[in-house]
Amino acid sequence: MEKGIITVVGADQVGIIAGVCTFLAKHEVNILDISQTIIEGYFNMMMVVDINNIKDDFGSVSKEMEEYGDELGVIIKLQHENIFHQMHRV
Amino acid sequence: MINIFEVNETNKMIEQENLDVRTITLGISLLSCMDGDVDVVCQNIYNKITTYAKDLVSTGNDIEKKYGIPIVNKRISVTPIGFVGASCCKTTDDFVKIAKVLDRCAKETGVNFIGGYSAIVSKGMTPAEELLIRSIPEAMKVTNNVCSSVNVGSSKTGINMDAVKLMGEIIKQTAQYTKDNDSIGCAKLVVLCNAPDDNPFMAGAFHGVSEADCIINVGVSGPGVVKNAIATAKGKDFGELCEIIKKTAFKITRVGQLVAYEASKALDIPFGIIDLSLAPTPAVGDSIADCLEGMGLESVGAPGTTAALAILNDHVKKGGVMASSRVGGLSGAFIPVSEDQGMIDAVNRGALTLEKLEAMTCVCSVGLDMIAIPGNTSNTILSGIIADEMAIGMINQKTTAVRIIPVIGKDVGEIVEFGGLLGYAPIMPVNKFECAEFINRGGSIPAPIHSFKN
């Protein structure tokens, strides 16, 4: 299964998780895991998602997510998991 | 399982510390384009490059989006044109014709540089190679995206001093031909000793004759990341400092390996090498000088600088070789002046001289790079600077290079602006004592004793 990693960072507010989840459902992206902390006063969420059934291509969904983040006032990134595996695992 | 801290660390490296993949360079062999007629050769070259490289830029952009890592440059390197043009070029104009075709290919495929307007003359020059070298000033004037290099020596063959003498004249002429543009032609021209066949970094990139028909080479970079890692080692001993650099280089190189693998798969072109160089940019924080100063130097150029650079260079390699299955090119730390804000500052405050830079090239990955000097420097002094640098490479069995810019009409204390990634540079003083009698001897310096390894 190919996985994507979503990170959301920004000032905390109502509706961030709800918004992101709705966005993902619309694109047929299944959420596998969510972890969320407050780091240095910032809302900080990481999601692991299943990207096998993703509608459209990965790049354009990633770009749309970023734009959606701008609307919400937080930074959202969707990246393929491999970059983290490569960097942090021998 | 990946955790949030690792993800944040990666993204912090990308967003705040300028981690990027500096270049995906597609190496293309042009040996199959040879013909007796220069127009046919030009057509063949155009067809081959635009076919092979048509998806290069878009593939790079896709990978960028997939992993969220910037891939700054997409480039092409080709077989040294000195070989390719040998069958058909009778005049320097014939070679310039090929340069123009390369320029057109760069524009149409959307890459920012195409390297390989080159000659390999370490032991001797063929008439075609001499013609190519003599055509460089005109070629650099009439093209924007073509890079040129001349390999004038190696540890196996010695140094071709006729070529060294000629390159002094060619560099000066190139400066004159592009004098309205602050002699920018010289920024696209490099003289090398022990040039590798698989270097993805300009201006010295070419696709060596030992390479396959088409290959993907990737150059990674990230001095900002290394600088921040070094900052965490403040006050710690050298063992710990080295360990930190090594671990960071590992992470950086892994990103390059991933990008190389993806690009190779998407374009269906075999993966060549990762060049795990630390190449700075003029952006603040993306500086080799900052890495060195972070180790405890008041300024680059201070006593201790060469040792600090040796540590950096060696541990970048040690971390990198573990991270990638195939490492090559010029792997190590680049020390250009104009492209590195910290170096520029060091020159301005009088801490860094040409002589110290030369000493530093003994332990860096390339050599004298992007150094602006007075436009009235004589041809023979330019050749003398080249000869010194080539000797360092030949004796120490490493790649060395000279990319020096005599800025016509400007003198010490003035500033020259190249723009973009090439940055800006203060004009540095050069030792004015002549070496003309030495350079004018002609012939070649024989290979050193340790060349007999067979």
Side-chain angles (χ1 to χ4, degrees):
Chain A
M1 186 200 293
E2 276 197 86
K3 293 177 197 159
I5 304 286
I6 294 170
T7 44
V8 185
V9 182
D12 201 8
Q13 56 177 295
V14 175
I16 298 177
I17 299 179
V20 174
C21 291
T22 312
F23 179 97
L24 292 175
K26 209 172 69 191
H27 287 88
E28 309 236 341
V29 176
N30 189 31
I31 298 165
L32 304 171
D33 192 14
I34 299 181
S35 63
Q36 188 236 309
T37 55
I38 302 287
I39 296 177
E40 290 166 15
Y42 276 92
F43 174 84
N44 207 306
M45 177 167 75
M46 182 182 97
M47 282 174 158
V48 182
V49 296
D50 172 0
I51 52 172
N52 284 309
N53 303 321
I54 202 165
K55 276 189 191 170
D56 310 320
D57 70 299
F58 189 85
S60 56
V61 174
S62 164
K63 189 158 171 270
E64 247 183 84
M65 281 223 82
E66 228 178 278
E67 287 161 3
Y68 181 63
D70 288 342
E71 267 174 53
L72 281 178
V74 292
I75 298 162
I76 305 184
K77 283 181 86 162
L78 165 62
Q79 291 154 286
H80 196 284
E81 65 166 343
N82 278 355
I83 188 166
F84 308 108
H85 274 299
Q86 287 281 329
M87 275 180 90
H88 299 282
R89 300 285 179 272
V90 177
Chain B
M1 189 67 198
I2 295 161
N3 67 53
I4 196 163
F5 297 101
E6 289 169 343
V7 171
N8 283 337
E9 187 196 21
T10 300
N11 288 339
K12 189 174 146 229
M13 283 178 173
I14 295 169
E15 277 148 28
Q16 294 166 24
E17 299 167 3
N18 300 319
L19 174 64
D20 55 36
V21 169
R22 190 54 52 81
T23 179
I24 299 182
T25 303
L26 188 64
I28 303 173
S29 168
L30 297 184
L31 291 174
S32 59
C33 300
M34 286 197 203
D35 192 272
D37 181 341
V38 67
D39 292 316
V40 175
V41 172
C42 286
Q43 191 59 46
N44 289 347
I45 289 177
Y46 176 81
N47 293 346
K48 186 159 187 183
I49 294 178
T50 49
T51 309
Y52 276 54
K54 68 176 192 305
D55 295 327
L56 175 65
V57 173
S58 60
T59 303
N61 292 342
D62 288 347
I63 297 170
E64 209 170 62
K65 279 187 223 135
K66 184 169 177 186
Y67 296 110
I69 175 112
I71 300 170
V72 185
N73 300 302
K74 291 92 187 173
R75 293 169 171 173
I76 296 170
S77 64
V78 297
T79 310
I81 297 299
F83 296 128
V84 182
S87 57
C88 65
C89 295
K90 306 283 180 277
T91 62
T92 52
D93 287 346
D94 289 341
F95 273 112
V96 172
K97 229 179 208 178
I98 297 181
K100 284 182 182 163
V101 170
L102 294 176
D103 206 37
R104 216 171 98 215
C105 291
K107 288 197 177 81
E108 285 186 23
T109 53
V111 299
N112 58 354
F113 279 123
I114 183 160
Y117 197 72
S118 310
I120 315 285
V121 296
S122 34
K123 201 167 182 187
M125 269 186 273
T126 63
E129 283 167 330
E130 188 172 344
L131 273 182
L132 176 124
I133 294 175
R134 291 194 186 278
S135 77
I136 289 172
E138 178 69 16
M140 292 300 101
K141 184 184 167 187
V142 298
T143 62
N144 294 320
N145 307 90
V146 175
C147 286
S148 179
S149 60
V150 180
N151 188 63
V152 298
S154 82
S155 299
K156 280 278 182 193
T157 63
I159 302 171
N160 181 345
M161 288 301 288
D162 289 328
V164 169
K165 182 179 175 211
L166 182 57
M167 284 316 294
E169 294 160 19
I170 294 297
I171 289 176
K172 192 65 174 292
Q173 207 181 356
T174 306
Q176 250 141 12
Y177 275 40
T178 52
K179 67 173 191 293
D180 297 335
N181 231 336
D182 276 334
S183 302
I184 198 164
C186 296
K188 297 179 287 174
L189 169 61
V190 57
V191 187
L192 292 147
C193 179
N194 289 324
D197 279 7
D198 53 8
N199 160 31
F201 284 106
M202 297 297 165
F206 60 79
H207 185 75
V209 285
S210 59
E211 298 283 309
D213 195 42
C214 194
I215 211 100
I216 296 264
N217 294 328
V218 167
V220 293
S221 188
V225 179
V226 177
K227 179 196 119 186
N228 283 302
I230 288 172
T232 65
K234 198 171 170 58
K236 295 187 175 145
D237 76 6
F238 285 108
E240 281 181 72
L241 173 69
C242 293
E243 193 62 23
I244 285 171
I245 298 172
K246 213 164 65 181
K247 281 182 184 156
T248 311
F250 174 85
K251 289 179 186 175
I252 297 171
T253 311
R254 292 286 276 199
V255 177
Q257 169 85 20
L258 175 67
V259 167
Y261 171 77
E262 286 281 329
S264 162
K265 201 170 68 175
L267 292 165
D268 194 24
I269 291 170
F271 155 56
I273 55 105
I274 301 284
D275 185 314
L276 42 103
S277 290
L278 293 186
T281 69
V284 173
D286 208 14
S287 157
I288 297 293
D290 288 357
C291 294
L292 302 178
E293 286 167 9
M295 290 188 204
L297 305 171
E298 188 183 352
S299 169
V300 163
T305 303
T306 311
L309 183 59
I311 293 170
L312 181 65
N313 208 45
D314 192 47
H315 288 85
V316 164
K317 288 180 187 172
K318 282 175 177 160
V321 288
M322 170 80 179
S324 171
S325 47
R326 266 173 291 171
V327 174
L330 296 168
S331 298
F334 283 34
I335 49 167
V337 175
S338 81
E339 296 164 345
D340 187 320
Q341 188 59 48
M343 292 285 187
I344 295 168
D345 294 341
V347 172
N348 282 336
R349 70 171 81 96
L352 187 60
T353 62
L354 196 59
E355 285 72 18
K356 185 66 180 178
L357 277 166
E358 184 188 314
M360 288 162 73
T361 63
C362 298
V363 298
C364 82
S365 75
V366 199
L368 295 172
D369 197 13
M370 290 302 286
I371 295 167
I373 58 169
N376 61 8
T377 308
S378 77
N379 295 354
T380 42
I381 287 182
L382 282 169
S383 293
I385 294 171
I386 296 170
D388 282 344
E389 195 56 37
M390 299 301 109
I392 290 173
M394 174 182 78
I395 296 291
N396 296 299
Q397 299 184 60
K398 73 185 286 295
T399 302
T400 50
V402 174
R403 183 161 55 146
I404 199 159
I405 306 136
V407 187
I408 305 296
K410 292 204 170 167
D411 213 335
V412 177
E414 289 182 81
I415 298 279
V416 56
E417 275 280 355
F418 301 115
L421 273 181
L422 297 175
Y424 73 99
I427 313 266
M428 294 176 75
V430 173
N431 189 324
K432 292 280 183 205
F433 288 91
E434 259 302 343
C435 56
E437 202 183 322
F438 178 74
I439 294 298
N440 286 333
R441 280 176 188 276
S444 62
I445 299 175
I449 184 72
H450 48 237
S451 69
F452 294 104
K453 281 180 182 162
N454 45 19

